[in-house]
Amino acid sequence: QVQLVESGGGLVQAGGSLRLSCAASGRTFSRYGMGWFRQAPEKGREFVAGINWSGSSARYADSVKGRFTVSRDNAKNTVYLQMNSLKFEDTAVYYCAANPLGVGFQDSNQYNYWGQGTQVTVSS
């Protein structure tokens, strides 16, 4: 069982930056693949970024590539999402998710555990 708690969301102007954190409980965090997803009002949940168990491999949605960076610190049981050059269309609730296969999948169905989400609002 893994419990995930996101933090770091807030209100930021377009062009600004935020860093989201996702703290995980459990002793086996280092084995889990982690993902970040987001959901805007009246839209479906979409993949943002994923990272494998060791942090050696990451993948990104085309819409955030070059602006967002996913990383993890297994010693702290935490995964991060650094978001730079934020745009109005990045406004959404951001969720982190974990899967025991160790891969940062793009498919949300591959994830077993989800956090409660943190709101990111970008003003234009």
Side-chain angles (χ1 to χ4, degrees):
Q1 188 78 8
V2 176
Q3 293 184 322
L4 304 172
V5 179
E6 302 97 335
S7 61
L11 174 65
V12 63
Q13 288 188 330
S17 298
L18 281 175
R19 188 176 82 155
L20 305 183
S21 299
C22 174
S25 66
R27 295 174 293 177
T28 58
F29 171 77
S30 62
R31 301 178 187 175
Y32 281 78
M34 302 297 295
W36 285 97
F37 293 79
R38 66 187 182 187
Q39 187 165 13
E42 300 182 359
K43 291 189 177 181
R45 188 170 295 186
E46 66 171 349
F47 170 78
V48 176
I51 189 166
N52 72 335
W53 65 276
S54 66
S56 63
S57 177
R59 63 184 73 183
Y60 299 91
D62 287 343
S63 59
V64 307
K65 204 170 291 183
R67 300 188 297 121
F68 291 12
T69 302
V70 60
S71 62
R72 66 190 297 161
D73 185 338
N74 286 342
K76 295 183 178 180
N77 278 17
T78 303
V79 63
Y80 305 97
L81 185 67
Q82 177 66 45
M83 305 186 295
N84 299 329
S85 303
L86 282 160
K87 303 176 181 180
F88 175 75
E89 50 265 39
D90 294 320
T91 296
V93 177
Y94 283 71
Y95 300 89
C96 70
N99 75 79
L101 299 180
V103 178
F105 293 111
Q106 291 182 261
D107 182 1
S108 61
N109 292 319
Q110 298 290 343
Y111 290 87
N112 302 72
Y113 306 102
W114 292 83
Q116 83 290 347
T118 186
Q119 176 71 47
V120 171
T121 303
V122 184
S123 61
S124 56

